[in-house]
Amino acid sequence: MTYTIEGRTGPWEIVVGLEVHAQVTSHAKLFSGAATAFGAEPNSQVSFVDAGFPGMLPVINHECVAQAVRTGLGLNAKVNLWSRFDRKNYFYADLPQGYQISQFAHPIIGEGVVEITLADGSAKNIGVTRLHLEQDAGKSLHDQHPQKSFIDLNRSGVALMEIVSEPDIRSPEEAGAYLTKLRQILRYLGTCDGNMDEGSMRADVNVSVRRAGEGYRTRCEVKNVNSIRFVMQSVEAEARRQIEVFETGGTVEQETRLFDTARGITRSMRSKEDAHDYRYFPDPDLPPLVIAQSWVDQLKAALPELPDVRRARYVAMGLSPYDAHVLTLERETAAYFEEVAAGRDAKIAANWVTGDLFAAINRTKTSIAAPPVPAAHLGALLDLLADKTLSGTLAKQVFEAMVEEGKSPGAIVEARGLRQVTDSGAIERIVAGVLDANTDKVAEYRSGKDKLFGFFVGQTMKAMQGKGNPALVNDAVKKLLG
Amino acid sequence: MSLDTATVRRIAALARIRLEAAEVERMQTELNDILGWIEQLQAVDTAGVEPMAGAGAVALRMREDVVTDGGVAPRVLANAPDREGEYFGVPKVVE
């Protein structure tokens, strides 16, 4: 049942590990007081520390450390109370210090685990090797000038968490599921906004291939892949390239590659001779990062409910595993559902959110964060259903009007006179009228044509413009025919 | 342990420091002296001794997560050898 790619000489397994760079949600940068907001004017959010000016000293941001610890706890990982920063030395135009401050030998977070769920319903654990804090680099623009690149240092020094997985991933689907789950956990924790379009999450994808039963072969690293779909595609493209190399008698060289999204292939990125020779050493500007277990405990106690726990709770509330999964994918969806379900029937609330609301969101091209119907209004609609002011059919009509007009269900019911009729005397009078107008059908029914029952119910509802309480209409038809 | 001239040249290249041919030999001697000194230090038995990261503060001091800096693009760019609007200009670097 292992995923394989069929080569000309037989099947190949693939082995994948991901290094995910997640931008830490914080106001200020990792080691300076400059802002982190996306989309500011070039070089307007740069301190002299971020610009690598001589004599400037880094001072670590407390919240960035807290965010790393929260993330570690959310990944069921070991929190290291003693960690240290190292310098990773390389030269690039967007790295003014000439080194990146990172954690090489002593990361703040050690081994953890992420449980992924696959399309066939099976679950698998993907090991997390470590998580460490490091600085982001600046941004280069290459398309503004024929001979020059432009450098914006606003991103320089923003805190990143690098989350390294074990090589436990065995298919493109697992790679996608892992990244999806990781993003979901970070967004629940509020430690990274997971906005891949803005570069808040990027992945380096390590790929190798092998025959069944073999150990690991040489891997290649596909750098800076910026969407879940591209991660899945790059895994397959790189695996196919390596298979082709092996099957034509070559060997795979360890190197860094880029995923060409337009052509769907990977290509070599840098000359390998200097790659990975970063000459790490402890940053002499920074003493060790020492945190207290009591503080870690406080952070742990204040963690929000994580998606797996929430999903299990929804199933216990009576939702199907599928509904529980869909409702917990995004934190905003879960929050909306909970507001609708509070003090109401959870299953009915789930049906309306995953059915009518999701359809309305698709139709109006809105999102759960700015929904076409506020949760409070949908909740009020369910109350009108529960107290029988509205029948199911009427409720659907009212919901559509809510999407159209943005008003509360109460206001719409009043304005359109959509209140359900629950006066059994009034209903019986209408049923009697229907029976009088259809004496032939009444005779047929009484001679055994039971199916006509539905006809009388339908005619009554039609006469009442759909406002009759269905159960009472049924009762009345049964009574007057009987 | 001792460094050969090829390694000295490689270290210099990684650090983007240009060494003239005559300087390579002098640098090789100096670096080997330093390495020899480190070797002497390594002879000391440090089993059971906590590593010391520095002589100063024992642990990092931290800052609050508050924006206190930035908004000084003209000063950040003031010494740039090349400047394009509010950007640094550098020779084109494309992978």
Side-chain angles (χ1 to χ4, degrees):
Chain A
M1 178 60 229
T2 311
Y3 174 92
T4 54
I5 293 180
E6 199 60 32
R8 286 192 300 273
T9 59
W12 295 83
E13 294 179 7
I14 65 175
V15 177
V16 177
L18 293 185
E19 294 168 22
V20 175
H21 293 89
Q23 186 181 317
V24 174
T25 299
S26 66
H27 300 295
K29 295 184 180 180
L30 180 55
F31 291 113
S32 88
T36 59
F38 181 79
E41 289 298 302
N43 290 307
S44 65
Q45 296 178 167
V46 182
S47 78
F48 294 157
V49 176
D50 312 317
F53 279 24
M56 303 309 297
L57 287 174
V59 180
I60 198 165
N61 181 332
H62 185 263
E63 176 63 11
C64 294
V65 179
Q67 294 285 52
V69 171
R70 288 183 189 112
T71 307
L73 293 169
L75 300 175
N76 305 302
K78 180 172 182 291
V79 177
N80 295 320
L81 301 181
W82 191 100
S83 65
R84 195 185 67 197
F85 288 92
D86 301 289
R87 291 186 178 180
K88 178 181 181 177
N89 299 281
Y90 68 95
F91 288 95
Y92 205 75
D94 59 20
L95 187 79
Q97 288 169 149
Y99 56 86
Q100 177 192 35
I101 304 177
S102 182
Q103 296 189 301
F104 181 62
H106 298 280
I108 185 165
I109 304 294
E111 290 105 343
V113 67
V114 171
E115 188 189 279
I116 60 171
T117 310
L118 300 168
D120 65 3
S122 66
K124 177 175 176 177
N125 283 340
I126 305 296
V128 169
T129 314
R130 56 185 283 164
L131 175 156
H132 65 256
L133 280 168
E134 62 184 25
Q135 298 175 303
D136 206 345
K139 195 171 79 178
S140 305
L141 289 84
H142 301 300
D143 53 1
Q144 307 288 309
H145 190 283
Q147 287 91 36
K148 292 179 191 174
S149 291
F150 289 5
I151 307 292
D152 174 9
L153 295 182
N154 280 347
R155 211 177 58 192
S156 170
V158 168
L160 295 179
M161 297 179 282
E162 179 170 329
I163 305 164
V164 182
S165 86
E166 293 288 312
D168 290 344
I169 295 165
R170 293 286 178 274
S171 69
E173 185 201 357
E174 289 182 16
Y178 170 76
L179 195 53
T180 304
K181 185 61 176 286
L182 190 59
R183 179 173 177 273
Q184 183 192 27
I185 292 171
L186 299 184
R187 284 170 50 80
Y188 264 71
L189 291 168
T191 58
C192 170
D193 66 23
N195 195 333
M196 301 191 81
D197 294 340
E198 294 177 0
S200 293
M201 266 182 98
R202 322 189 277 276
D204 297 341
V205 187
N206 287 287
V207 182
S208 64
V209 298
R210 65 176 180 187
R211 299 291 195 189
E214 274 187 356
Y216 298 140
R217 296 196 184 196
T218 305
R219 64 185 162 85
C220 288
E221 181 179 11
V222 186
K223 276 273 185 202
N224 252 331
V225 187
N226 64 1
S227 82
I228 291 168
R229 189 164 56 94
F230 288 154
V231 164
M232 296 170 71
Q233 288 175 1
S234 66
V235 166
E236 182 163 355
E238 177 56 16
R240 288 191 185 279
R241 184 192 71 86
Q242 292 179 14
I243 290 167
E244 177 67 17
V245 170
F246 284 128
E247 291 194 332
T248 52
T251 51
V252 169
E253 302 286 339
Q254 182 165 344
E255 62 175 346
T256 306
R257 301 179 66 85
L258 272 183
F259 183 57
D260 183 331
T261 54
R263 295 162 66 201
I265 57 164
T266 70
R267 55 186 167 80
S268 189
M269 186 171 166
R270 335 185 148 130
S271 62
K272 57 184 177 292
E273 134 197 36
D274 286 349
H276 306 298
D277 196 346
Y278 293 124
R279 295 147 296 139
Y280 286 97
F281 64 90
D283 191 318
D285 289 340
L286 294 162
L289 173 57
V290 181
I291 56 178
Q293 183 61 48
S294 57
W295 183 54
V296 175
D297 294 340
Q298 275 175 36
L299 292 172
K300 186 169 189 173
L303 281 189
E305 185 179 45
L306 286 166
D308 287 349
V309 178
R310 182 165 285 184
R311 199 176 60 207
R313 183 162 62 81
Y314 286 3
V315 170
M317 282 161 68
L319 304 198
S320 69
Y322 179 77
D323 281 352
H325 167 73
V326 170
L327 289 170
T328 51
L329 274 179
E330 297 285 345
R331 194 177 176 176
E332 290 86 349
T333 310
Y336 186 100
F337 163 70
E338 299 218 349
E339 192 179 338
V340 175
R344 303 188 180 97
D345 184 303
K347 182 79 188 120
I348 292 173
N351 287 344
W352 277 86
V353 173
T354 58
D356 301 85
L357 179 77
F358 280 7
I361 286 174
N362 282 337
R363 204 169 58 237
T364 56
K365 296 186 171 51
T366 49
S367 73
I368 192 76
V373 170
H377 284 184
L378 181 51
L381 180 67
L382 300 199
D383 290 341
L384 294 177
L385 254 175
D387 70 12
K388 301 202 161 53
T389 306
L390 295 175
S391 65
T393 321
L394 282 178
K396 301 266 174 194
Q397 282 181 38
V398 172
F399 182 82
E400 292 315 317
M402 287 158 67
V403 174
E404 290 285 314
E405 299 169 24
K407 290 186 197 136
S408 75
I412 288 164
V413 168
E414 287 310 319
R416 301 194 176 190
L418 288 173
R419 193 173 288 276
Q420 176 173 245
V421 177
T422 52
D423 174 347
S424 45
I427 293 173
E428 280 177 23
R429 280 194 293 280
I430 293 163
V431 172
V434 167
L435 299 191
D436 282 349
N438 295 283
T439 46
D440 51 337
K441 293 218 164 52
V442 173
E444 282 181 52
Y445 177 84
R446 289 197 171 124
S447 65
K449 213 169 171 192
D450 292 350
K451 277 186 204 151
L452 280 169
F453 187 80
F455 166 79
F456 299 119
V457 171
Q459 288 298 307
T460 307
M461 279 302 230
K462 194 174 166 193
M464 298 182 74
Q465 287 124 31
K467 285 187 269 185
N469 174 300
L472 292 177
V473 169
N474 260 310
D475 290 350
V477 171
K478 205 173 284 173
K479 183 176 160 194
L480 295 183
L481 281 173
Chain B
M1 182 182 173
S2 81
L3 299 177
D4 57 19
T5 52
T7 308
V8 173
R9 284 203 180 85
R10 176 167 162 71
I11 293 168
L14 285 171
R16 302 295 190 273
I17 292 172
R18 187 175 63 198
L19 287 186
E20 305 300 338
E23 292 172 303
V24 172
E25 209 171 307
R26 181 166 61 84
M27 198 54 70
Q28 183 185 15
T29 308
E30 287 186 10
L31 286 173
N32 277 326
D33 284 351
I34 293 169
L35 288 173
W37 183 63
I38 300 288
E39 262 170 34
Q40 283 183 46
L41 286 177
Q42 279 175 336
V44 180
D45 181 9
T46 57
V49 181
E50 284 272 309
M52 190 174 90
V58 186
L60 271 185
R61 294 169 57 121
M62 303 201 202
R63 67 162 72 236
E64 291 304 307
D65 182 30
V66 177
V67 176
T68 55
D69 208 340
V72 291
R75 298 179 68 199
V76 165
L77 291 157
N79 294 317
D82 187 9
R83 186 179 158 170
E84 292 285 341
E86 296 299 292
Y87 293 97
F88 293 92
V90 299
K92 206 172 196 72
V93 273
V94 187
E95 292 283 358

